[in-house]
Amino acid sequence: QPDRNFRIDVGYRLNDRDFDDRTVDKKRTDYVDINMFWQPVDTFRMTAVVERYFDESTSSFGLVDDVRTYGTTFDWTLATDWRLAGTVYYDRETAIGDDVRYRKLTTTLSLTHDINQHLEIFLSGLGKWVSEDVSDDSYERYKIGSGLRYKF
Protein backbone atom coordinates (compact mmCIF):
# COMPACT_ATOMS: atom_id res chain seq x y z
CA GLN A 1 0.00 0.00 0.00
CA PRO A 2 1.37 3.45 -0.88
CA ASP A 3 2.64 5.64 1.93
CA ARG A 4 0.16 8.49 2.56
CA ASN A 5 2.92 10.55 4.17
CA PHE A 6 5.27 10.67 1.18
CA ARG A 7 4.51 11.39 -2.47
CA ILE A 8 6.47 12.48 -5.51
CA ASP A 9 4.75 13.59 -8.71
CA VAL A 10 6.98 13.83 -11.77
CA GLY A 11 5.74 15.19 -15.06
CA TYR A 12 6.79 16.94 -18.22
CA ARG A 13 5.63 20.41 -19.19
CA LEU A 14 5.64 21.93 -22.66
CA ASN A 15 5.15 25.69 -22.71
CA ASP A 16 4.12 27.00 -26.12
CA ARG A 17 3.22 30.62 -26.76
CA ASP A 18 2.44 32.54 -29.96
CA PHE A 19 3.10 36.28 -29.94
CA ASP A 20 1.82 39.04 -32.18
CA ASP A 21 5.24 40.69 -32.14
CA ARG A 22 7.83 41.60 -34.80
CA THR A 23 10.86 40.38 -32.86
CA VAL A 24 9.48 37.18 -31.32
CA ASP A 25 6.95 35.14 -33.24
CA LYS A 26 6.79 32.07 -31.02
CA LYS A 27 8.46 30.64 -27.93
CA ARG A 28 8.50 27.01 -26.86
CA THR A 29 10.17 25.56 -23.76
CA ASP A 30 10.00 22.24 -22.00
CA TYR A 31 11.06 21.08 -18.56
CA VAL A 32 10.42 18.49 -15.92
CA ASP A 33 7.81 19.23 -13.23
CA ILE A 34 8.43 17.72 -9.81
CA ASN A 35 6.19 18.06 -6.77
CA MET A 36 7.07 16.32 -3.52
CA PHE A 37 5.07 16.01 -0.30
CA TRP A 38 6.48 14.60 2.94
CA GLN A 39 4.85 14.34 6.36
CA PRO A 40 7.15 12.32 8.65
CA VAL A 41 5.00 13.05 11.75
CA ASP A 42 1.50 14.47 12.24
CA THR A 43 2.86 17.87 13.28
CA PHE A 44 5.27 18.51 10.40
CA ARG A 45 4.82 18.57 6.63
CA MET A 46 7.02 19.73 3.81
CA THR A 47 6.62 20.24 0.07
CA ALA A 48 9.15 20.84 -2.68
CA VAL A 49 8.63 21.92 -6.27
CA VAL A 50 10.62 22.18 -9.50
CA GLU A 51 8.84 23.72 -12.49
CA ARG A 52 9.19 25.93 -15.57
CA TYR A 53 6.45 28.20 -16.86
CA PHE A 54 5.68 31.49 -18.61
CA ASP A 55 4.68 34.42 -16.38
CA GLU A 56 3.80 38.05 -16.96
CA SER A 57 6.98 39.98 -17.71
CA THR A 58 8.74 42.02 -15.07
CA SER A 59 10.59 43.86 -17.84
CA SER A 60 9.22 46.91 -19.65
CA PHE A 61 9.89 45.45 -23.10
CA GLY A 62 9.54 41.76 -22.34
CA LEU A 63 6.57 39.83 -23.68
CA VAL A 64 6.61 37.17 -20.95
CA ASP A 65 9.16 35.79 -18.51
CA ASP A 66 10.45 32.25 -18.89
CA VAL A 67 10.64 31.18 -15.22
CA ARG A 68 12.41 28.20 -13.67
CA THR A 69 11.40 27.70 -10.03
CA TYR A 70 12.95 25.55 -7.32
CA GLY A 71 11.27 25.79 -3.94
CA THR A 72 10.33 24.24 -0.65
CA THR A 73 7.77 24.97 2.06
CA PHE A 74 7.22 23.62 5.54
CA ASP A 75 4.48 23.80 8.15
CA TRP A 76 5.20 22.70 11.71
CA THR A 77 2.70 22.58 14.56
CA LEU A 78 4.91 23.41 17.54
CA ALA A 79 2.24 22.98 20.22
CA THR A 80 -1.51 23.25 20.51
CA ASP A 81 -2.57 26.41 18.64
CA TRP A 82 1.03 27.35 17.66
CA ARG A 83 2.41 26.93 14.13
CA LEU A 84 5.67 27.81 12.38
CA ALA A 85 5.74 27.96 8.58
CA GLY A 86 8.38 28.90 6.06
CA THR A 87 9.29 28.96 2.38
CA VAL A 88 12.44 29.19 0.28
CA TYR A 89 12.17 29.75 -3.47
CA TYR A 90 14.88 30.28 -6.07
CA ASP A 91 13.73 31.62 -9.46
CA ARG A 92 15.63 32.11 -12.72
CA GLU A 93 13.65 34.51 -14.92
CA THR A 94 14.53 35.35 -18.52
CA ALA A 95 12.49 38.03 -20.27
CA ILE A 96 11.36 36.94 -23.73
CA GLY A 97 11.78 39.89 -26.11
CA ASP A 98 14.19 41.77 -23.81
CA ASP A 99 17.78 41.22 -22.67
CA VAL A 100 17.01 40.80 -18.95
CA ARG A 101 17.79 37.79 -16.75
CA TYR A 102 16.98 37.74 -13.04
CA ARG A 103 18.05 35.48 -10.22
CA LYS A 104 15.67 35.72 -7.27
CA LEU A 105 15.82 34.14 -3.83
CA THR A 106 12.76 34.61 -1.63
CA THR A 107 12.32 33.36 1.93
CA THR A 108 9.45 33.70 4.36
CA LEU A 109 8.94 32.67 7.96
CA SER A 110 5.80 33.06 10.06
CA LEU A 111 4.67 32.17 13.55
CA THR A 112 0.95 31.99 14.26
CA HIS A 113 -1.15 31.41 17.35
CA ASP A 114 -4.82 30.44 17.09
CA ILE A 115 -6.82 32.49 19.57
CA ASN A 116 -10.04 30.68 18.66
CA GLN A 117 -11.59 28.92 15.66
CA HIS A 118 -11.82 32.13 13.61
CA LEU A 119 -9.04 34.36 14.91
CA GLU A 120 -5.26 34.07 14.93
CA ILE A 121 -2.37 36.36 15.71
CA PHE A 122 0.74 36.23 13.52
CA LEU A 123 4.29 37.47 13.18
CA SER A 124 5.89 37.14 9.74
CA GLY A 125 9.05 38.01 7.90
CA LEU A 126 10.17 38.10 4.29
CA GLY A 127 13.58 38.37 2.70
CA LYS A 128 14.13 38.78 -1.04
CA TRP A 129 17.41 39.05 -2.93
CA VAL A 130 17.34 39.85 -6.65
CA SER A 131 20.21 40.21 -9.09
CA GLU A 132 20.14 40.89 -12.82
CA ASP A 133 22.76 39.06 -14.89
CA VAL A 134 23.12 41.45 -17.85
CA SER A 135 23.47 44.80 -16.05
CA ASP A 136 24.72 43.30 -12.76
CA ASP A 137 22.13 45.35 -10.83
CA SER A 138 20.76 43.94 -7.61
CA TYR A 139 18.50 44.78 -4.70
CA GLU A 140 17.34 43.35 -1.42
CA ARG A 141 13.97 43.62 0.28
CA TYR A 142 13.03 42.82 3.85
CA LYS A 143 9.63 42.95 5.48
CA ILE A 144 8.38 42.19 8.98
CA GLY A 145 4.69 42.15 9.79
CA SER A 146 2.34 41.23 12.57
CA GLY A 147 -1.37 41.35 13.11
CA LEU A 148 -4.66 39.59 13.59
CA ARG A 149 -6.15 37.34 10.93
CA TYR A 150 -9.85 36.50 10.80
CA LYS A 151 -10.62 33.11 9.23
CA PHE A 152 -14.08 32.56 7.73
Side-chain angles (χ1 to χ4, degrees):
Q1 180 170 5
D3 187 352
R4 296 176 332 158
N5 297 321
F6 183 76
R7 179 182 69 244
I8 296 179
D9 301 329
V10 178
Y12 173 80
R13 182 183 303 204
L14 178 65
N15 301 305
D16 191 27
R17 193 89 173 261
D18 291 324
F19 299 103
D20 188 18
D21 188 81
R22 288 185 203 141
T23 58
V24 179
D25 181 44
K26 182 180 190 123
K27 181 67 177 177
R28 176 178 282 179
T29 65
D30 60 336
Y31 210 65
V32 64
D33 274 3
I34 301 172
N35 192 317
M36 184 206 68
F37 171 81
W38 180 47
Q39 186 172 358
V41 293
D42 288 342
T43 58
F44 182 85
R45 70 183 152 231
M46 185 175 132
T47 63
V49 65
V50 174
E51 62 183 346
R52 184 176 185 178
Y53 55 93
F54 290 143
D55 199 6
E56 294 305 314
S57 184
T58 54
S59 163
S60 298
F61 298 106
L63 301 170
V64 296
D65 285 346
D66 180 9
V67 182
R68 290 181 181 102
T69 295
Y70 312 90
T72 186
T73 67
F74 76 89
D75 193 310
W76 183 16
T77 302
L78 302 170
T80 303
D81 300 330
W82 286 93
R83 193 173 75 248
L84 183 68
T87 64
V88 177
Y89 277 89
Y90 176 73
D91 295 325
R92 294 280 300 159
E93 296 182 8
T94 302
I96 307 302
D98 199 357
D99 192 22
V100 178
R101 290 187 301 275
Y102 292 107
R103 289 178 283 131
K104 298 180 180 182
L105 178 66
T106 306
T107 63
T108 64
L109 189 65
S110 66
L111 178 66
T112 60
H113 174 65
D114 291 330
I115 296 171
N116 61 41
Q117 179 182 351
H118 296 287
L119 192 63
E120 68 184 16
I121 188 169
F122 69 90
L123 175 65
S124 65
L126 173 129
K128 187 170 191 171
W129 299 267
V130 177
S131 63
E132 202 283 317
D133 290 346
V134 176
S135 67
D136 205 29
D137 288 338
S138 65
Y139 70 88
E140 301 167 355
R141 177 179 298 153
Y142 305 98
K143 180 173 73 171
I144 296 176
S146 65
L148 292 171
R149 182 177 294 126
Y150 185 77
K151 302 181 288 185
F152 294 91

